[in-house]
Amino acid sequence: MKNITIQDIKDFKQSNSKFATLTAYDFNSAQIVDAANIPLILVGDSASMTMYGYDTTLPVSMDEMLLVVKAVSRGSKHALVVADMPFLSYQPSIETTIMNAGLLIKKGGAGAVKLEGGKRIMENIKVLVGHGIPVLGHIGLTPQSVHQMSGYSVQGKTSDGAKKIIDDAVAVENAGAFGVVLECVPEKLATAITNTLNIPTIGIGSGNTCDGQIQVFHDIMGLSQNSPPKHAKQYSKLYDAMLDVCKQYK
Ligand code: KIV
Protein backbone atom coordinates (compact mmCIF):
# COMPACT_ATOMS: atom_id res chain seq x y z
CA MET A 1 0.00 0.00 0.00
CA LYS A 2 1.20 3.53 -0.78
CA ASN A 3 1.55 6.28 1.78
CA ILE A 4 -1.86 7.81 2.34
CA THR A 5 -2.25 11.57 1.93
CA ILE A 6 -5.11 13.94 2.72
CA GLN A 7 -5.90 13.91 -1.01
CA ASP A 8 -6.46 10.14 -0.83
CA ILE A 9 -8.88 10.67 2.06
CA LYS A 10 -10.73 13.36 0.07
CA ASP A 11 -10.76 11.08 -3.00
CA PHE A 12 -12.63 8.40 -1.04
CA LYS A 13 -15.62 10.72 -1.04
CA GLN A 14 -15.33 11.61 -4.71
CA SER A 15 -15.20 7.93 -5.68
CA ASN A 16 -17.98 7.02 -3.24
CA SER A 17 -15.71 4.57 -1.40
CA LYS A 18 -16.68 4.12 2.23
CA PHE A 19 -13.67 3.84 4.54
CA ALA A 20 -12.85 2.74 8.08
CA THR A 21 -10.43 4.53 10.39
CA LEU A 22 -9.25 3.73 13.90
CA THR A 23 -7.41 5.27 16.81
CA ALA A 24 -4.04 4.00 18.07
CA TYR A 25 -1.78 5.15 20.87
CA ASP A 26 1.43 3.10 20.71
CA PHE A 27 3.98 1.58 18.31
CA ASN A 28 2.59 -1.94 18.37
CA SER A 29 -1.08 -1.07 17.88
CA ALA A 30 -0.14 1.39 15.11
CA GLN A 31 1.69 -1.44 13.32
CA ILE A 32 -1.40 -3.64 13.63
CA VAL A 33 -3.81 -0.97 12.32
CA ASP A 34 -1.40 -0.12 9.51
CA ALA A 35 -1.01 -3.79 8.54
CA ALA A 36 -4.81 -3.96 8.20
CA ASN A 37 -4.54 -1.27 5.48
CA ILE A 38 -6.61 1.19 7.47
CA PRO A 39 -5.85 4.49 5.74
CA LEU A 40 -6.06 6.90 8.68
CA ILE A 41 -4.92 6.47 12.28
CA LEU A 42 -6.10 9.04 14.79
CA VAL A 43 -3.98 9.48 17.88
CA GLY A 44 -7.03 10.64 19.80
CA ASP A 45 -6.96 12.62 23.00
CA SER A 46 -8.93 9.57 24.19
CA ALA A 47 -5.33 8.57 25.03
CA SER A 48 -6.11 10.52 28.20
CA MET A 49 -8.24 7.55 29.30
CA THR A 50 -6.81 4.62 27.32
CA MET A 51 -3.12 5.33 27.96
CA TYR A 52 -2.98 7.54 31.03
CA GLY A 53 -6.02 6.42 33.04
CA TYR A 54 -7.66 9.83 33.44
CA ASP A 55 -11.47 10.04 33.61
CA THR A 56 -11.99 12.47 30.70
CA THR A 57 -10.01 13.90 27.78
CA LEU A 58 -9.43 17.16 29.67
CA PRO A 59 -6.26 16.41 31.68
CA VAL A 60 -4.00 15.02 28.93
CA SER A 61 -1.14 17.43 28.18
CA MET A 62 0.79 18.29 25.03
CA ASP A 63 3.82 16.41 26.40
CA GLU A 64 1.74 13.31 27.05
CA MET A 65 0.16 13.55 23.57
CA LEU A 66 3.56 14.04 21.94
CA LEU A 67 4.85 10.79 23.47
CA VAL A 68 2.02 8.72 22.00
CA VAL A 69 1.99 10.56 18.65
CA LYS A 70 5.72 9.84 18.21
CA ALA A 71 5.21 6.14 18.94
CA VAL A 72 2.29 5.84 16.51
CA SER A 73 4.16 7.71 13.78
CA ARG A 74 7.04 5.25 14.13
CA GLY A 75 4.63 2.31 13.90
CA SER A 76 2.66 3.51 10.88
CA LYS A 77 4.29 2.93 7.50
CA HIS A 78 1.39 3.87 5.23
CA ALA A 79 -1.58 5.27 7.14
CA LEU A 80 -2.04 9.00 7.54
CA VAL A 81 -1.37 9.78 11.21
CA VAL A 82 -3.67 12.49 12.60
CA ALA A 83 -2.77 13.91 16.02
CA ASP A 84 -5.50 15.23 18.28
CA MET A 85 -4.82 18.65 19.79
CA PRO A 86 -5.45 18.33 23.54
CA PHE A 87 -7.58 20.67 25.63
CA LEU A 88 -5.97 24.13 26.01
CA SER A 89 -3.43 23.50 23.25
CA TYR A 90 -5.42 25.64 20.75
CA GLN A 91 -8.17 27.46 22.69
CA PRO A 92 -6.03 30.29 24.17
CA SER A 93 -4.80 31.95 20.95
CA ILE A 94 -3.88 31.53 17.30
CA GLU A 95 -0.17 31.63 18.25
CA THR A 96 -0.69 28.75 20.73
CA THR A 97 -2.56 26.82 18.03
CA ILE A 98 0.25 27.18 15.49
CA MET A 99 3.01 26.33 17.98
CA ASN A 100 1.30 23.20 19.32
CA ALA A 101 0.04 21.93 15.96
CA GLY A 102 3.56 22.53 14.62
CA LEU A 103 5.06 20.44 17.43
CA LEU A 104 2.70 17.53 16.72
CA ILE A 105 3.89 17.60 13.10
CA LYS A 106 7.56 18.50 13.63
CA LYS A 107 8.36 16.44 16.74
CA GLY A 108 5.45 13.98 16.70
CA GLY A 109 5.75 13.05 13.02
CA ALA A 110 1.99 13.39 12.40
CA GLY A 111 0.65 14.29 8.96
CA ALA A 112 -2.33 16.29 10.20
CA VAL A 113 -4.02 17.50 13.38
CA LYS A 114 -7.59 17.38 14.70
CA LEU A 115 -9.36 20.17 16.60
CA GLU A 116 -12.78 20.15 18.25
CA GLY A 117 -15.31 22.86 17.35
CA GLY A 118 -17.00 24.50 14.38
CA LYS A 119 -17.58 28.18 13.69
CA ARG A 120 -15.86 29.06 16.98
CA ILE A 121 -12.47 27.76 15.78
CA MET A 122 -12.77 28.60 12.07
CA GLU A 123 -9.88 31.06 12.33
CA ASN A 124 -7.61 28.47 13.99
CA ILE A 125 -8.31 26.01 11.16
CA LYS A 126 -7.74 28.65 8.46
CA VAL A 127 -4.42 29.71 9.91
CA LEU A 128 -3.13 26.14 10.31
CA VAL A 129 -4.10 25.22 6.76
CA GLY A 130 -2.50 28.47 5.58
CA HIS A 131 0.73 27.38 7.28
CA GLY A 132 0.63 23.99 5.56
CA ILE A 133 -0.79 21.95 8.43
CA PRO A 134 -3.76 19.79 7.35
CA VAL A 135 -6.74 19.81 9.72
CA LEU A 136 -9.45 17.27 10.46
CA GLY A 137 -12.46 18.92 12.09
CA HIS A 138 -14.58 17.43 14.89
CA ILE A 139 -18.14 18.55 15.59
CA GLY A 140 -21.32 17.27 17.26
CA LEU A 141 -20.38 15.76 20.60
CA THR A 142 -17.04 17.37 21.42
CA PRO A 143 -15.72 15.65 24.59
CA GLN A 144 -13.43 18.55 25.53
CA SER A 145 -16.67 20.52 26.18
CA VAL A 146 -18.16 17.81 28.41
CA HIS A 147 -18.99 20.27 31.19
CA GLN A 148 -20.57 22.82 28.85
CA MET A 149 -22.65 20.02 27.27
CA SER A 150 -23.64 18.66 30.72
CA GLY A 151 -22.39 15.19 29.81
CA TYR A 152 -21.89 12.95 26.80
CA SER A 153 -25.26 12.99 25.07
CA VAL A 154 -26.32 12.88 21.42
CA GLN A 155 -26.12 16.41 19.95
CA GLY A 156 -28.36 18.08 17.35
CA LYS A 157 -31.66 16.49 18.36
CA THR A 158 -33.64 19.76 18.22
CA SER A 159 -34.05 21.74 15.00
CA ASP A 160 -31.98 24.61 16.46
CA GLY A 161 -29.29 22.18 17.58
CA ALA A 162 -29.25 20.50 14.17
CA LYS A 163 -28.97 23.86 12.39
CA LYS A 164 -26.03 24.85 14.57
CA ILE A 165 -24.21 21.60 13.72
CA ILE A 166 -24.86 22.06 9.97
CA ASP A 167 -23.48 25.62 10.25
CA ASP A 168 -20.43 24.24 12.09
CA ALA A 169 -19.87 21.61 9.38
CA VAL A 170 -20.00 24.22 6.61
CA ALA A 171 -17.66 26.51 8.61
CA VAL A 172 -15.12 23.70 9.06
CA GLU A 173 -15.19 22.94 5.31
CA ASN A 174 -14.93 26.63 4.37
CA ALA A 175 -11.98 27.05 6.73
CA GLY A 176 -10.08 24.41 4.71
CA ALA A 177 -10.33 21.18 6.73
CA PHE A 178 -9.82 18.01 4.65
CA GLY A 179 -12.51 16.10 6.54
CA VAL A 180 -14.70 16.26 9.61
CA VAL A 181 -15.53 13.86 12.42
CA LEU A 182 -19.24 13.80 13.31
CA GLU A 183 -19.56 12.42 16.82
CA CYS A 184 -22.92 11.29 18.22
CA VAL A 185 -25.41 13.13 16.04
CA PRO A 186 -28.67 11.59 14.75
CA GLU A 187 -28.22 9.59 11.52
CA LYS A 188 -30.64 11.88 9.64
CA LEU A 189 -28.47 14.90 10.49
CA ALA A 190 -25.26 13.03 9.63
CA THR A 191 -26.79 12.13 6.25
CA ALA A 192 -27.77 15.74 5.55
CA ILE A 193 -24.26 16.97 6.42
CA THR A 194 -22.61 14.21 4.38
CA ASN A 195 -24.75 15.17 1.37
CA THR A 196 -24.00 18.88 1.83
CA LEU A 197 -20.22 18.80 2.26
CA ASN A 198 -17.58 18.20 -0.40
CA ILE A 199 -15.12 16.90 2.21
CA PRO A 200 -15.60 13.45 3.78
CA THR A 201 -17.52 13.02 7.01
CA ILE A 202 -16.16 10.44 9.45
CA GLY A 203 -18.85 9.25 11.84
CA ILE A 204 -18.76 7.82 15.33
CA GLY A 205 -22.10 7.03 16.93
CA SER A 206 -23.77 8.88 14.03
CA GLY A 207 -25.24 6.01 12.01
CA ASN A 208 -24.08 4.34 8.82
CA THR A 209 -24.33 7.03 6.17
CA CYS A 210 -21.13 9.00 6.76
CA ASP A 211 -18.33 8.66 4.21
CA GLY A 212 -16.05 7.02 6.78
CA GLN A 213 -16.27 5.65 10.31
CA ILE A 214 -13.94 5.89 13.28
CA GLN A 215 -13.77 3.85 16.47
CA VAL A 216 -11.49 3.73 19.49
CA PHE A 217 -8.98 0.83 19.27
CA HIS A 218 -9.59 -0.31 22.86
CA ASP A 219 -13.39 -0.38 22.36
CA ILE A 220 -13.45 -2.68 19.33
CA MET A 221 -10.70 -4.90 20.77
CA GLY A 222 -12.37 -5.21 24.19
CA LEU A 223 -9.10 -4.12 25.74
CA SER A 224 -10.47 -2.30 28.75
CA GLN A 225 -12.37 -3.55 31.78
CA ASN A 226 -15.33 -1.25 31.05
CA SER A 227 -18.04 -1.99 28.48
CA PRO A 228 -17.60 -0.01 25.24
CA PRO A 229 -20.09 2.71 24.23
CA LYS A 230 -23.29 1.48 22.52
CA HIS A 231 -22.05 2.49 19.06
CA ALA A 232 -18.85 0.42 19.27
CA LYS A 233 -19.04 -3.23 18.24
CA GLN A 234 -16.64 -5.29 20.35
CA TYR A 235 -14.98 -7.78 17.97
CA SER A 236 -12.95 -9.48 20.70
CA LYS A 237 -12.46 -9.42 24.46
CA LEU A 238 -8.71 -8.98 24.63
CA TYR A 239 -8.85 -7.91 28.28
CA ASP A 240 -10.01 -11.40 29.26
CA ALA A 241 -7.61 -13.11 26.83
CA MET A 242 -4.62 -11.17 28.20
CA LEU A 243 -5.69 -11.74 31.79
CA ASP A 244 -5.85 -15.45 31.05
CA VAL A 245 -2.31 -15.40 29.58
CA CYS A 246 -1.03 -13.64 32.73
CA LYS A 247 -2.68 -16.28 34.92
CA GLN A 248 -1.26 -19.14 32.86
CA TYR A 249 2.20 -17.59 32.97
CA LYS A 250 1.97 -17.11 36.75
O1 KIV B 1 -10.08 11.14 20.88
C1 KIV B 1 -10.66 10.36 20.12
O2 KIV B 1 -10.45 9.13 20.17
C2 KIV B 1 -11.61 10.91 19.18
C3 KIV B 1 -12.45 9.96 18.38
C4 KIV B 1 -13.42 9.28 19.24
C5 KIV B 1 -13.10 10.62 17.23
O3 KIV B 1 -11.72 12.09 19.07
Side-chain angles (χ1 to χ4, degrees):
M1 190 168 83
K2 70 189 202 73
N3 290 347
I4 300 291
T5 65
I6 61 163
Q7 189 58 51
D8 295 314
I9 303 296
K10 292 201 266 191
D11 287 349
F12 285 137
K13 177 154 190 145
Q14 300 317 321
S15 59
N16 222 351
S17 313
K18 299 279 187 198
F19 60 101
T21 71
L22 206 49
T23 68
Y25 315 95
D26 63 29
F27 179 72
N28 190 235
S29 57
Q31 282 188 318
I32 295 169
V33 178
D34 197 63
N37 286 347
I38 287 180
L40 182 154
I41 301 178
L42 171 68
V43 191
D45 61 353
S46 46
S48 190
M49 291 88 90
T50 58
M51 297 305 287
Y52 295 109
Y54 299 121
D55 283 343
T56 68
T57 59
L58 299 178
V60 75
S61 67
M62 263 301 291
D63 285 346
E64 287 167 326
M65 281 304 293
L66 264 176
L67 279 179
V68 290
V69 172
K70 281 181 187 175
V72 169
S73 298
R74 288 192 286 260
S76 165
K77 282 205 178 76
H78 309 290
L80 176 68
V81 174
V82 180
D84 230 345
M85 295 197 69
F87 182 56
L88 287 193
S89 70
Y90 58 98
Q91 289 90 345
S93 68
I94 296 292
E95 285 71 22
T96 320
T97 308
I98 300 168
M99 276 309 299
N100 286 321
L103 285 175
L104 292 165
I105 303 285
K106 185 178 167 126
K107 287 197 172 173
V113 297
K114 175 167 84 57
L115 282 72
E116 292 183 8
K119 265 181 154 169
R120 180 171 53 81
I121 56 147
M122 234 184 131
E123 202 48 39
N124 307 59
I125 299 177
K126 261 192 202 159
V127 170
L128 289 180
V129 172
H131 283 84
I133 299 177
V135 174
L136 179 62
H138 183 162
I139 59 173
L141 195 170
T142 47
Q144 290 177 15
S145 306
V146 58
H147 298 308
Q148 181 61 33
M149 295 182 308
S150 300
Y152 300 103
S153 50
V154 174
Q155 301 294 300
K157 288 205 281 196
T158 63
S159 59
D160 280 357
K163 184 179 176 316
K164 184 187 170 301
I165 295 175
I166 293 174
D167 290 349
D168 279 341
V170 171
V172 165
E173 169 162 309
N174 288 343
F178 71 88
V180 63
V181 170
L182 296 184
E183 181 162 355
C184 292
V185 303
E187 183 169 89
K188 212 169 140 202
L189 176 57
T191 307
I193 294 172
T194 301
N195 291 340
T196 302
L197 298 189
N198 293 306
I199 55 171
T201 56
I202 303 180
I204 173 163
S206 300
N208 286 327
T209 59
C210 289
D211 300 300
Q213 291 288 330
I214 187 153
Q215 285 293 338
V216 166
F217 186 86
H218 288 49
D219 290 341
I220 65 162
M221 299 287 171
L223 247 184
S224 81
Q225 250 178 324
N226 309 331
S227 325
K230 263 198 295 193
H231 58 69
K233 176 172 169 187
Q234 201 173 65
Y235 290 82
S236 188
K237 187 76 188 128
L238 293 192
Y239 182 93
D240 290 346
M242 289 163 88
L243 177 62
D244 190 50
V245 170
C246 289
K247 285 180 177 167
Q248 286 185 51
Y249 165 70
K250 185 184 78 175

